[in-house]
Amino acid sequence: SARSLEDVLKEKGVITEEDYKEIQKSSPIKYKLGEGFNFTSADGKFSTSIGGVYQLRYTLMDLDDANNTAAKQAQDSSKFELRRIKLVANGYAYSPDLTYKMTINFANIAGGTTSNGGLLEETYVNYRLLNEVQFRFGQDKVQFGRQWITSSAAQQFVDASAVTNAFVPGYDTGVMIHGKIAGGLVNYNIAGYGGVGQNTYRSTTDNAFAARLTVNPLGDVKYTESDVEYSKSPLVSVGADFYRNTLSATEVNTTNTATGNNLSFAKSTSWYGLGKGLLPAARAFSAGEALDFNMASVDAAFKWRGFSATGEYFFAEADGQTTSHKLRGQGFYAQAGYFVIPKKVEVAYRYSYIDPNRDAVNDLWVENTGAVSWYVNNQNLKVQADYTNVHKQAAIASTSGKNVTDDQQVRFQVQMLF
Amino acid sequence: SARSLEDVLKEKGVITEEDYKEIQKSSPIKYKLGEGFNFTSADGKFSTSIGGVYQLRYTLMDLDDANNTAAKQAQDSSKFELRRIKLVANGYAYSPDLTYKMTINFANIAGGTTSNGGLLEETYVNYRLLNEVQFRFGQDKVQFGRQWITSSAAQQFVDASAVTNAFVPGYDTGVMIHGKIAGGLVNYNIAGYGGVGQNTYRSTTDNAFAARLTVNPLGDVKYTESDVEYSKSPLVSVGADFYRNTLSATEVNTTNTATGNNLSFAKSTSWYGLGKGLLPAARAFSAGEALDFNMASVDAAFKWRGFSATGEYFFAEADGQTTSHKLRGQGFYAQAGYFVIPKKVEVAYRYSYIDPNRDAVNDLWVENTGAVSWYVNNQNLKVQADYTNVHKQAAIASTSGKNVTDDQQVRFQVQMLF
Amino acid sequence: SARSLEDVLKEKGVITEEDYKEIQKSSPIKYKLGEGFNFTSADGKFSTSIGGVYQLRYTLMDLDDANNTAAKQAQDSSKFELRRIKLVANGYAYSPDLTYKMTINFANIAGGTTSNGGLLEETYVNYRLLNEVQFRFGQDKVQFGRQWITSSAAQQFVDASAVTNAFVPGYDTGVMIHGKIAGGLVNYNIAGYGGVGQNTYRSTTDNAFAARLTVNPLGDVKYTESDVEYSKSPLVSVGADFYRNTLSATEVNTTNTATGNNLSFAKSTSWYGLGKGLLPAARAFSAGEALDFNMASVDAAFKWRGFSATGEYFFAEADGQTTSHKLRGQGFYAQAGYFVIPKKVEVAYRYSYIDPNRDAVNDLWVENTGAVSWYVNNQNLKVQADYTNVHKQAAIASTSGKNVTDDQQVRFQVQMLF
């Protein structure tokens, strides 16, 4: 490519090698891997990176025919999909302590329908008083569940586990105090949220509360799966979190006919959505009552020399304010991966377990997933394929009937951050 | 931060101090406060600024319980909200006389529902023949109502007054001739619009017409509230405008069951939306008739040494083409603010008055609002809080019943332009 | 404008004229006509162009009153419209062989309704192994129909012909192998798609297949209409393509009450949408059956010294899998244009013909269109106006009745790429 002015001046001896290196750093425009092009103002007070995220996916779903009848056939599918298509801006303004993030996921509109309440994901302002004391205002991931907090672009499998989708609240709008203590040995956050989920705003006075604590005894651990960095020293992180919320009768969507919230754990394929349908009539929630939700999880992650393992356990309970009826669910997953070619090719296995209603029988949902991933350029450019056996007991089987179903799912995905 | 090439060459004496200053101006990339990063082509024919707008808001609404019954309780709310989240591109192309603006408000999709017809706000091309004679084509704010023309990011309170929302048309697509005469002493615009509002297109031959004239005897006055600039000399602006439109039976949405337009003044909480419901049966519009709308307003603004005052009066009338029935509404607001700490901290007060149907009784809507604002960096980074008493007479009370309601509203907002 | 550092150093003799020219080429930021601002990383591995597309349109539609009755009047319309408002990012990442395109059309949401399934148009990753062998994954224009493949910003008329809209599939998500052989003398592509159209994903195992071949005997011909470049030598291109798909009963939308796909040819104003309604009851498709679609087209284009001509013929057939009933449609258009002022002002004429059901009578749709276009800056900045006589026979007339309708349509459009 053409020589730049700095190249020419270095050749002519007008500037030195040291000058040259320093000048490169001062450039108002840079490319940052995983973030996109970065622009910085001459006074250093403003900086922004603008980038894109592509997750282009093919999914083959072979449904189990165990419950087939003449009138009802399981409908397999062969689907090409724009799974996530995002524009991301992040940077700082007025001061390096005042950062912002803006994530727009255009794939949230598909088939003419808007999912997740709208297009916006992380959309917040963060002010750092100290590393230990920071304030965040706006929409963010509710800091509940390690895998959920991990970017969808930094997953070990084609997508997060069914357990994570079944138990986390998702995104919400609110205010958070958080910080890193002792350089990241301990991280905490305490937050209040509107409480009805992504791009959806509260029309009652009930708000949600969440808190999370992580301990990283061997040094700060980033929220990414896979040891694509081939960590020379072992890394360990353990975390615990808690979430509580109250949803009114119109918000909780007991009948599944209206959408009163955009909380992940309340969707029809999640813990609450599945579990409430399995309550016997005598112990069901009444249509007009508000529910209190209390949820907690513990998790751990480990990485060393291309090997990585992650596990989480979730506990969740909903309590009817009028009937005092109770729904309790639980779930966990454990996954591990190893780079058979360091930094490039990884194989991974995951076991997922969901019990949407601990007091009901025949309602277990178990997944076994195997994956192979080619990290062409770290997490920024990768090609992944995974295979899942989706085992659902009769009460929640993929086609209604008296038999367990074992569906086979194959996914292939190209991910590019630019 | 690192030294740039210019810094190094100036130190070495290769270039002079004057060269250095000129070079800084020639940079193809700059940051412009309130506009974002700006890029200009080497030939100077193309330039664009790309920026973001965040309005992150918390609203506590305490509804009056005056009309409560056992069956119907006023539902207070505690709401965190992404109020406005915009990407804005503005610049010129092919010539500095051919400018464009593109504003995308991603907050227009929330709770799974699209408001304002779509995501686009200002989306136009402007050609300047002379400062005095300019042409604009595309979607723009209908130039009707001073506060409406003022950017939502340059308001003295957390948001515009209820009066403005109740009487202005909002955005519309059309063509405009406009200009600044004598350096802005007089500004005018004359426009034709589709006539059914933001991101919404006409399916009849009725179009809307609007004209506005402002006089600024002491020099051009920008459309911004608050005297955050601490004007050394007094600034005065007076304006008047007129709008007319005809809406067919399907467009006017007489039954409130279909959405035939996206005009602000026709929404259910606006002048027309409230007023038409208060017409006695004998004088009501018929379901099948078209309505002629004629609306006008006068306004004035004043700024000096941190003090600012603004006021507007609106008059509106709708006439049934078949029945010759008539609906007349009026409204006004007056507001004033003063910087108790110049350029930084302002207190402000506003009185708003809406009479949606001058021929009906008990239908007044009056708001009293007090605000405190901290302008961290002019209008670009500010923190605002305001308190409003929303007084609505029985015919339009916030909960139905025979009593007046006085709702209490507290809002807190962080605004950042980046 | 201010002198740049390169200007200053050239004047001072620090760098030579040759250095100066090379340095200009190395600039990390450039403006590319038709693409917008372009950014390239210092290592040359990443490059992106970000630009906008505006199509601002006015349409006057004067419907024929031939079928008017007291109860049913033809409703003329006078419409200002944001026809297409796009943000486009295209570039390469990690290697110049790995390109991507991302096109977001914000005009797809209007009147509160989302059309085309969502906002995304071209959204793909392309890997070039050789010029002759390239792979594409994601959403793209289905490569079927010359005019459809031609950008909406490179049309000779205000918009594509009714024939193109009536017979092409539109956008779809899938995987394609394609290449240019012998420097573009022959171009080919072979693709598999989900099969239910733009931003819409398959829930069955039927996928679509498409293939296209073009031959350019006098050298590669770009997909643009009009000879705005004033080609010194004649350019010729001929093409042929084929498409097949199977739509299940829920996807094919036989009743027009549900939207099962976003395929252009299946919309209510397209070949299949119009034609199926004209099948006699004894030969109609059954509500529960799947349909096989087979479609083909041939096309040719010619350009020389400001003259250009294009034509296409489409053949389409749908076959009921259960009833074996058949629907066959055909259509063609031919258009020619000439620059009366070379590179600036063009006049053009087009004849369009659609027979949505070859076995039905009185169902022809014929359009005659004349256009005048002013190319201010090539296809990047142009002003166009066209007039169309829309002739529809009684079975498909614009207002129902026993008479043919001849509607008059006048369009005016400003197009700006920035």
Side-chain angles (χ1 to χ4, degrees):
Chain A
S1 62
R3 292 176 307 157
S4 69
L5 180 52
E6 299 91 284
D7 294 332
V8 171
L9 294 176
K10 190 179 66 172
E11 280 171 31
K12 292 187 190 292
V14 178
I15 59 172
T16 66
E17 184 69 35
E18 289 78 49
D19 291 337
Y20 183 83
K21 282 183 187 156
E22 189 175 359
I23 287 158
Q24 297 292 31
K25 278 186 218 146
S26 83
S27 170
I29 161 171
K30 292 188 194 72
Y31 185 83
K32 292 191 176 179
L33 275 168
E35 291 197 9
F37 280 92
N38 173 272
F39 309 102
T40 303
S41 65
D43 63 6
K45 287 189 180 168
F46 296 86
S47 180
T48 198
S49 296
I50 300 179
V53 175
Y54 271 15
Q55 283 189 352
L56 310 172
R57 186 181 296 180
Y58 173 77
T59 304
L60 178 68
M61 176 62 91
D62 180 7
L63 295 185
D64 193 333
D65 293 319
N67 289 314
N68 273 3
T69 63
K72 188 167 174 44
Q73 300 291 320
Q75 176 61 67
D76 300 339
S77 63
S78 164
K79 179 164 71 165
F80 291 92
E81 185 185 13
L82 305 176
R83 182 59 187 88
R84 292 184 178 89
I85 304 293
K86 306 188 190 183
L87 275 183
V88 184
N90 73 73
Y92 57 82
Y94 308 96
S95 152
D97 290 324
L98 189 63
T99 52
Y100 57 84
K101 187 163 189 183
M102 181 175 188
T103 307
I104 310 162
N105 187 350
F106 292 102
N108 277 0
I109 309 184
T113 301
T114 301
S115 57
N116 300 320
L119 297 172
L120 294 167
E121 298 186 341
E122 289 99 335
T123 306
Y124 60 73
V125 169
N126 192 85
Y127 180 69
R128 180 179 59 185
L129 184 63
L130 305 164
N131 283 330
E132 290 80 3
V133 184
Q134 307 190 35
F135 303 91
R136 189 170 289 188
F137 189 30
Q139 180 167 282
D140 194 8
K141 289 184 172 189
V142 174
Q143 302 286 299
F144 182 86
R146 176 176 294 270
Q147 191 168 58
W148 165 246
I149 297 169
T150 302
S151 167
S152 61
Q155 300 278 324
Q156 198 157 27
F157 294 79
V158 170
D159 217 326
S161 72
V163 183
T164 290
N165 294 328
F167 285 93
V168 304
Y171 293 93
D172 210 338
T173 306
V175 59
M176 181 164 85
I177 299 179
H178 64 115
K180 283 184 185 295
I181 295 170
L185 291 189
V186 175
N187 296 333
Y188 75 93
N189 50 68
I190 302 169
Y193 296 104
V196 284
Q198 190 176 0
N199 294 307
T200 304
Y201 308 126
R202 201 91 200 204
S203 54
T204 68
T205 49
D206 300 313
N207 290 130
F209 170 84
R212 177 171 171 83
L213 187 75
T214 53
V215 178
N216 306 311
L218 308 178
D220 201 8
V221 180
K222 285 187 184 168
Y223 282 108
T224 64
E225 298 185 349
S226 302
D227 190 27
V228 64
E229 298 85 2
Y230 198 79
S231 308
K232 295 269 172 64
S233 318
L235 287 171
V236 175
S237 181
V238 294
D241 41 34
F242 174 73
Y243 174 83
R244 72 162 284 127
N245 197 359
T246 296
L247 294 175
S248 73
T250 52
E251 289 166 344
V252 82
N253 184 18
T254 41
T255 59
N256 264 339
T257 54
T259 309
N261 69 68
N262 262 297
L263 295 163
S264 184
F265 68 78
K267 294 197 191 297
S268 62
T269 55
S270 294
W271 155 69
Y272 170 74
L274 289 170
K276 75 178 180 340
L278 302 173
L279 286 170
R283 299 216 320 276
F285 297 128
S286 75
E289 77 178 321
L291 303 186
D292 293 319
F293 287 84
N294 283 281
M295 296 164 57
S297 78
V298 291
D299 59 75
F302 175 80
K303 292 184 183 190
W304 195 29
R305 294 179 173 269
F307 174 81
S308 59
T310 314
E312 288 191 76
Y313 169 79
F314 292 92
F315 168 82
E317 178 171 329
D319 297 279
Q321 287 192 342
T322 310
T323 60
S324 295
H325 292 164
K326 205 182 281 292
L327 173 67
R328 297 179 312 144
Q330 66 181 349
F332 69 90
Y333 73 87
Q335 66 185 45
Y338 182 69
F339 275 81
V340 293
I341 302 177
K343 302 188 178 184
K344 284 296 167 196
V345 178
E346 183 191 38
V347 292
Y349 167 75
R350 177 162 70 200
Y351 179 84
S352 305
Y353 173 100
I354 300 172
D355 181 357
N357 184 337
R358 293 171 67 182
D359 301 314
V361 293
N362 288 325
D363 70 334
L364 297 186
W365 173 358
V366 172
E367 298 197 351
N368 280 276
T369 307
V372 180
S373 302
W374 175 28
Y375 294 78
V376 184
N377 183 307
N378 203 318
Q379 304 269 17
N380 307 309
L381 179 64
K382 64 179 178 181
V383 179
Q384 294 181 290
D386 64 15
Y387 161 79
T388 302
N389 180 288
V390 182
H391 176 87
K392 289 178 173 173
Q393 289 186 332
I396 60 164
S398 62
T399 49
S400 57
K402 61 182 178 181
N403 296 310
V404 164
T405 53
D406 279 276
D407 303 324
Q408 317 300 317
Q409 182 192 55
V410 175
R411 302 184 291 193
F412 170 81
Q413 183 167 283
V414 172
Q415 173 176 304
M416 186 166 99
L417 276 58
F418 59 85
Chain B
S1 61
R3 291 175 308 159
S4 69
L5 180 53
E6 300 92 284
D7 294 332
V8 171
L9 294 176
K10 190 179 66 172
E11 280 171 32
K12 293 188 189 292
V14 177
I15 61 171
T16 65
E17 184 70 35
E18 289 77 49
D19 291 336
Y20 183 83
K21 281 183 189 157
E22 191 176 356
I23 287 157
Q24 297 291 31
K25 278 185 217 146
S26 83
S27 170
I29 161 171
K30 294 188 193 72
Y31 185 84
K32 291 191 177 181
L33 275 168
E35 292 197 9
F37 280 93
N38 173 273
F39 309 102
T40 303
S41 66
D43 64 6
K45 286 188 179 168
F46 295 87
S47 180
T48 199
S49 296
I50 299 178
V53 176
Y54 271 15
Q55 283 189 352
L56 309 172
R57 187 181 294 180
Y58 173 79
T59 305
L60 179 67
M61 177 62 91
D62 180 8
L63 295 184
D64 193 332
D65 293 319
N67 289 315
N68 274 4
T69 62
K72 187 168 172 47
Q73 301 291 320
Q75 177 60 66
D76 300 338
S77 63
S78 165
K79 178 165 70 167
F80 292 91
E81 185 184 12
L82 304 177
R83 183 59 186 87
R84 292 183 179 90
I85 304 293
K86 305 187 190 185
L87 274 183
V88 185
N90 74 73
Y92 57 82
Y94 309 96
S95 152
D97 290 326
L98 188 64
T99 53
Y100 58 84
K101 189 164 187 182
M102 182 175 188
T103 307
I104 309 161
N105 187 350
F106 292 102
N108 278 0
I109 309 184
T113 301
T114 301
S115 57
N116 300 319
L119 297 172
L120 294 167
E121 299 187 342
E122 289 99 335
T123 306
Y124 60 73
V125 169
N126 191 87
Y127 179 68
R128 181 179 60 185
L129 184 63
L130 305 165
N131 282 330
E132 290 80 3
V133 184
Q134 308 191 34
F135 303 92
R136 189 170 291 188
F137 190 30
Q139 179 167 281
D140 194 9
K141 289 183 171 189
V142 174
Q143 302 286 299
F144 182 86
R146 176 175 294 272
Q147 192 167 58
W148 165 247
I149 298 168
T150 303
S151 166
S152 61
Q155 300 279 323
Q156 198 156 30
F157 295 78
V158 169
D159 216 325
S161 72
V163 183
T164 290
N165 294 328
F167 285 93
V168 304
Y171 294 92
D172 211 338
T173 307
V175 60
M176 181 164 84
I177 300 178
H178 65 115
K180 284 184 182 294
I181 295 170
L185 291 189
V186 175
N187 297 332
Y188 75 94
N189 52 67
I190 302 170
Y193 296 104
V196 284
Q198 191 175 358
N199 294 309
T200 305
Y201 308 126
R202 202 91 199 205
S203 54
T204 69
T205 50
D206 300 312
N207 291 128
F209 169 84
R212 177 171 171 84
L213 188 75
T214 54
V215 178
N216 306 310
L218 307 179
D220 200 8
V221 180
K222 285 186 182 168
Y223 281 107
T224 62
E225 299 186 348
S226 301
D227 190 27
V228 65
E229 298 84 3
Y230 199 80
S231 308
K232 293 271 170 66
S233 318
L235 288 170
V236 174
S237 181
V238 295
D241 42 34
F242 174 73
Y243 174 83
R244 72 161 284 126
N245 197 358
T246 296
L247 294 175
S248 72
T250 52
E251 289 167 343
V252 80
N253 184 15
T254 42
T255 58
N256 265 338
T257 54
T259 307
N261 69 68
N262 261 298
L263 296 163
S264 183
F265 69 77
K267 294 196 192 298
S268 62
T269 55
S270 293
W271 155 69
Y272 171 74
L274 290 169
K276 75 177 183 338
L278 302 173
L279 287 170
R283 299 217 320 277
F285 298 127
S286 77
E289 76 178 322
L291 303 187
D292 293 320
F293 287 84
N294 283 281
M295 297 165 55
S297 78
V298 291
D299 58 75
F302 175 80
K303 291 183 183 192
W304 195 28
R305 293 180 173 269
F307 173 81
S308 60
T310 313
E312 287 190 78
Y313 170 79
F314 292 91
F315 168 82
E317 179 171 328
D319 297 279
Q321 286 191 343
T322 310
T323 60
S324 296
H325 291 164
K326 206 183 279 292
L327 173 68
R328 297 179 312 145
Q330 66 181 349
F332 69 89
Y333 73 86
Q335 66 185 46
Y338 183 68
F339 276 81
V340 292
I341 302 176
K343 303 186 177 185
K344 285 296 167 197
V345 178
E346 183 191 38
V347 293
Y349 167 75
R350 176 161 71 200
Y351 179 84
S352 305
Y353 173 100
I354 299 171
D355 182 356
N357 184 336
R358 293 171 66 182
D359 301 315
V361 294
N362 287 326
D363 70 334
L364 297 185
W365 173 359
V366 172
E367 297 196 353
N368 280 278
T369 307
V372 181
S373 303
W374 175 29
Y375 294 78
V376 183
N377 182 306
N378 204 318
Q379 304 269 16
N380 307 311
L381 180 64
K382 64 180 178 182
V383 180
Q384 293 182 291
D386 65 14
Y387 161 79
T388 302
N389 180 288
V390 182
H391 175 88
K392 290 178 172 173
Q393 290 187 333
I396 60 164
S398 62
T399 49
S400 57
K402 62 183 179 179
N403 296 310
V404 164
T405 52
D406 280 277
D407 304 324
Q408 317 300 317
Q409 182 193 54
V410 176
R411 301 185 290 194
F412 170 82
Q413 183 167 283
V414 172
Q415 174 177 304
M416 186 164 98
L417 276 59
F418 59 85
Chain C
S1 62
R3 292 176 306 160
S4 69
L5 180 53
E6 299 91 283
D7 293 332
V8 170
L9 295 176
K10 189 179 68 172
E11 280 171 33
K12 290 187 191 293
V14 177
I15 61 173
T16 66
E17 185 69 35
E18 289 78 51
D19 292 336
Y20 183 83
K21 282 183 189 155
E22 190 176 358
I23 287 157
Q24 297 291 32
K25 278 186 218 144
S26 81
S27 170
I29 162 171
K30 293 188 194 73
Y31 185 83
K32 292 191 176 180
L33 276 168
E35 291 197 10
F37 280 93
N38 173 272
F39 309 102
T40 303
S41 65
D43 64 6
K45 287 189 181 169
F46 295 87
S47 180
T48 198
S49 295
I50 299 178
V53 175
Y54 271 15
Q55 283 190 352
L56 309 172
R57 186 182 295 182
Y58 173 78
T59 305
L60 180 67
M61 177 61 91
D62 180 7
L63 295 184
D64 194 333
D65 293 320
N67 288 316
N68 273 4
T69 62
K72 185 166 173 46
Q73 301 290 320
Q75 176 61 67
D76 301 338
S77 63
S78 165
K79 178 165 70 165
F80 292 91
E81 186 184 11
L82 305 176
R83 183 59 186 85
R84 291 184 179 90
I85 304 293
K86 305 187 191 184
L87 275 183
V88 185
N90 72 75
Y92 56 83
Y94 309 98
S95 152
D97 290 324
L98 188 63
T99 53
Y100 57 85
K101 188 163 186 181
M102 181 175 187
T103 306
I104 310 162
N105 187 350
F106 293 102
N108 277 0
I109 309 184
T113 301
T114 301
S115 57
N116 300 320
L119 297 172
L120 294 167
E121 298 187 342
E122 289 99 334
T123 306
Y124 60 72
V125 169
N126 192 87
Y127 179 69
R128 181 178 61 185
L129 184 63
L130 305 164
N131 282 330
E132 291 80 2
V133 185
Q134 307 190 35
F135 303 91
R136 190 170 290 188
F137 190 30
Q139 180 167 280
D140 194 8
K141 290 183 171 190
V142 175
Q143 302 286 299
F144 182 86
R146 177 176 292 271
Q147 193 167 58
W148 164 248
I149 298 168
T150 303
S151 166
S152 61
Q155 300 279 323
Q156 198 157 28
F157 294 79
V158 170
D159 216 325
S161 72
V163 183
T164 290
N165 295 328
F167 285 92
V168 305
Y171 295 92
D172 210 338
T173 306
V175 60
M176 180 164 85
I177 299 179
H178 64 116
K180 283 184 185 295
I181 295 170
L185 291 189
V186 175
N187 297 333
Y188 75 94
N189 52 68
I190 302 169
Y193 296 104
V196 284
Q198 190 175 359
N199 294 308
T200 304
Y201 308 127
R202 202 89 198 207
S203 54
T204 69
T205 48
D206 300 313
N207 291 130
F209 169 84
R212 177 172 171 82
L213 187 76
T214 53
V215 178
N216 307 310
L218 307 178
D220 200 8
V221 180
K222 285 187 184 169
Y223 281 107
T224 63
E225 298 187 348
S226 301
D227 190 27
V228 64
E229 298 84 3
Y230 199 79
S231 307
K232 293 270 171 64
S233 317
L235 288 171
V236 174
S237 181
V238 294
D241 41 35
F242 174 73
Y243 174 83
R244 71 161 285 127
N245 197 359
T246 296
L247 294 175
S248 72
T250 52
E251 288 166 344
V252 81
N253 185 16
T254 41
T255 59
N256 266 338
T257 53
T259 309
N261 69 69
N262 261 298
L263 296 163
S264 185
F265 69 77
K267 294 195 192 298
S268 62
T269 56
S270 293
W271 155 70
Y272 171 74
L274 289 169
K276 76 176 181 336
L278 303 174
L279 287 170
R283 300 216 319 274
F285 298 128
S286 76
E289 76 178 323
L291 303 186
D292 292 320
F293 288 83
N294 284 282
M295 297 166 55
S297 78
V298 290
D299 60 75
F302 175 79
K303 292 184 182 190
W304 195 29
R305 293 181 174 269
F307 173 80
S308 59
T310 314
E312 288 190 76
Y313 169 79
F314 292 92
F315 168 81
E317 179 171 327
D319 297 279
Q321 287 192 342
T322 310
T323 60
S324 295
H325 291 162
K326 205 182 281 294
L327 172 68
R328 298 180 310 144
Q330 66 180 348
F332 69 89
Y333 73 87
Q335 67 184 45
Y338 183 69
F339 275 81
V340 293
I341 302 175
K343 303 188 177 184
K344 285 296 167 197
V345 178
E346 183 191 39
V347 294
Y349 166 74
R350 177 163 69 201
Y351 179 83
S352 306
Y353 173 99
I354 300 171
D355 182 356
N357 184 338
R358 292 169 68 181
D359 301 313
V361 293
N362 288 325
D363 69 335
L364 297 186
W365 173 358
V366 172
E367 297 197 353
N368 280 277
T369 307
V372 182
S373 302
W374 175 29
Y375 294 77
V376 184
N377 182 307
N378 204 319
Q379 304 268 18
N380 307 309
L381 180 64
K382 64 180 178 181
V383 179
Q384 293 180 291
D386 65 15
Y387 160 80
T388 303
N389 180 287
V390 181
H391 175 87
K392 290 179 174 172
Q393 290 187 330
I396 61 163
S398 63
T399 49
S400 57
K402 62 181 179 182
N403 296 309
V404 163
T405 52
D406 280 278
D407 303 324
Q408 317 300 316
Q409 182 193 56
V410 176
R411 301 185 290 193
F412 170 82
Q413 183 167 284
V414 173
Q415 174 177 303
M416 187 165 99
L417 276 58
F418 59 83

